[in-house]
Amino acid sequence: MFEIPKRVSLSSHAAATIRSGIAEGTWEEFLPSERRLCEMLNVSRPTIRTALHLLADEGLIDIRQGRRNRLLVQPKRARNQRNPLVGIITHEPVSQMALTAYRGISEMRAHLAKHGFRTEVYVIQPGTAPAQCRKLEAFVRQNRVFCCLLHSVSQEIQQWFAEQAVPALVLGSCHAKMPLPSLDVDYRSVCRHAAGVFLGKGHRRVALIVPHSGVAGDLASEQGFKEGMQAGVGLEEARAAIVRHNGTAKNIVARLDALFKTKPVPTALLVAKPAFVFTVMIYLLKSGLAVPTNVSLISRDPDNLFEAVDPLIAHYRFTTDVHAHRLSRLMIRLVSHGTLPKEPSLIFPRFFAGRTVATRTP
C-alpha cells in the first residue's frame, strides 16, 4: 500500500533548516538568538521556539533561559574546512526589497554557491549607529565573514566597513568621499533628466517626493533634481520643491497636503520608490486631481505593475538581467581577489514615457 504523505509543519521545517545548518558547521558552539533566527528563516518567534524545543528533544542543543542556546554536537565538517561566508548586510528584509535588488541578490547567491561560498542575510535593526556597529562587528567576527554586500545601509555603516579589513561592495550609492566600490543606478542623472522632461513639457512648479532616509541614492536623487531644475532658472516662475517623508502613508499624505496648499500648486511630481508612487496616485485621486490632466507624474524606479495601470506610469527602467549579471560578476571578482576598484559602477536606465506626463500650457 502507498504511504500517506505526512504534512510538515512550519516549525518542523524550521527545525530541519537549523539542523542542516548545525550539521554543515554554520555555527560554532552557540546558535544565533531567537530574533536572529526569525530574521534568517522569515518565521515568527513562536515557530522558532517550537523548532528549538524539537532540536533540544533530539539532543542537538541545550536551551538556556535568557542565554544563548549551546550546541551539544560537533558538526561533521571541521571548522577550518567550512565554506567561507559572504554577508549580505541590509536595513530591510529580503521580502521587502525592490524587485531588481531581490533578483540581483538571488542570482548572486546562486553564483557564489557554485564557487563554494555560503551567504547569509544580516538585517540591521533600528537603533543608534554605535549600537548597530557593535552588533555588526559581533556578527562579522563570530561568523568569520569573508566579505560583504551592503544594500541600502546608512552612512555610518558604510563608514564602519571603510575602516575595517572586511572587503565590501555597496549595492546602491556610496555616500560622499566613501572609499568603497559600488553598483547602482545613476540616480543623479535620472532625476536630472526627469526634471528636464517636465520643464520641456512646460511645467514650472515641480516637486520631488523622496524618503528622508539618508541613503546615498536618495541624496544623489535630490542633487540631480536640483541640477535639472536649475536649467529652468531663466524660465518664468520655474520652481522646485523637495518633499521628504518617513515612508508611512500618513506622513506622505500630510506632506502632500502641505505641498498642495502652497501657491502656485505643483503640476508635476517625480516620485522615488514604486510603493510610494501608488500612495501618491491614490492621494491625487482622492483629491480630485487627475493624472496627467491636472498633475503629471514620473516614477524614479521601475515596477512590473506600472504597465498594468491605466494610464501607463512613466518611469525609468533597465532589464533585471543587466543588473543581476553585473552584480554577480563584481562579487565573484571581490571574493576571488579580495578587492575592487574604489569607484562606482553605474547603470543608466532607459526612460519609458508611459502616459502620465502631459504638456502644460500657460
Side-chain angles (χ1 to χ4, degrees), residues 335-349:
V335 299
S336 300
H337 302 285
T339 185
L340 285 173
K342 302 297 189 296
E343 57 187 28
S345 178
L346 296 175
I347 300 174
F348 187 85

Side-chain angles (χ1 to χ4, degrees), residues 135-360:
K135 292 179 180 179
L136 183 58
E137 182 178 11
F139 166 76
V140 170
R141 183 182 65 254
Q142 292 171 6
N143 294 278
R144 297 177 176 268
V145 175
F146 182 77
C147 67
C148 287
L149 176 71
L150 312 182
H151 172 258
S152 188
V153 300
S154 65
Q155 181 174 0
E156 291 79 9
I157 298 299
Q158 288 189 7
Q159 183 64 47
W160 186 86
F161 272 96
E163 297 170 354
Q164 305 303 311
V166 182
L169 169 68
V170 175
L171 181 57
S173 297
C174 277
H175 289 273
K177 299 180 181 180
M178 199 67 67
L180 291 172
S182 63
L183 170 65
D184 197 17
V185 176
D186 190 351
Y187 285 122
R188 180 177 174 181
S189 296
V190 163
C191 293
R192 184 168 56 235
H193 180 271
V197 170
F198 284 138
L199 292 173
K201 292 289 185 178
H203 295 275
R204 297 296 177 262
R205 173 72 163 136
V206 184
L208 168 65
I209 314 298
V210 64
H212 191 31
S213 63
V215 172
D218 292 334
L219 297 177
S221 296
E222 293 187 17
Q223 182 180 1
F225 176 72
K226 292 176 182 177
E227 292 170 352
M229 290 302 295
Q230 285 175 357
V233 169
L235 301 174
E236 184 180 357
E237 297 181 352
R239 296 176 59 189
I242 296 178
V243 179
R244 304 179 182 92
H245 60 82
N246 65 10
T248 65
K250 182 178 180 180
N251 186 249
I252 294 173
V253 168
R255 299 292 185 183
L256 290 174
D257 278 339
L259 176 68
F260 279 90
K261 285 179 181 178
T262 60
K263 300 295 182 182
V265 297
T267 62
L269 303 176
L270 172 61
V271 186
K273 303 283 188 181
F276 304 138
V277 170
F278 292 107
T279 304
V280 171
M281 291 191 72
I282 291 173
Y283 171 87
L284 296 174
L285 180 64
K286 288 183 176 180
S287 302
L289 299 171
V291 177
T293 305
N294 304 116
V295 180
S296 290
L297 183 144
I298 295 176
S299 173
R300 184 194 69 178
D301 309 285
D303 193 280
N304 288 343
L305 292 176
F306 286 171
E307 295 185 37
V309 176
D310 188 17
L312 298 177
I313 298 174
H315 62 275
Y316 292 84
R317 68 182 181 188
F318 52 86
T319 62
T320 54
D321 288 344
V322 171
H323 182 267
H325 292 167
R326 191 177 297 187
L327 173 59
S328 293
R329 287 198 303 270
L330 287 171
M331 283 303 293
I332 293 299
R333 182 177 176 184
L334 181 61
V335 299
S336 300
H337 302 285
T339 185
L340 285 173
K342 302 297 189 296
E343 57 187 28
S345 178
L346 296 175
I347 300 174
F348 187 85
R350 180 172 62 88
F351 178 59
F352 178 73
R355 295 203 301 270
T356 55
V357 180
T359 299
R360 183 76 177 177

Side-chain angles (χ1 to χ4, degrees), residues 72-83:
L72 298 179
V73 296
Q74 189 69 24
K76 295 180 180 179
R77 185 181 306 203
R79 175 176 171 179
N80 61 357
Q81 293 178 325
R82 292 190 305 157
N83 291 345

Side-chain angles (χ1 to χ4, degrees), residues 71-99:
L71 300 179
L72 298 179
V73 296
Q74 189 69 24
K76 295 180 180 179
R77 185 181 306 203
R79 175 176 171 179
N80 61 357
Q81 293 178 325
R82 292 190 305 157
N83 291 345
L85 178 67
V86 175
I88 300 170
I89 315 301
T90 175
H91 273 291
E92 56 185 0
V94 175
S95 59
Q96 297 179 14
M97 289 181 182
L99 181 61

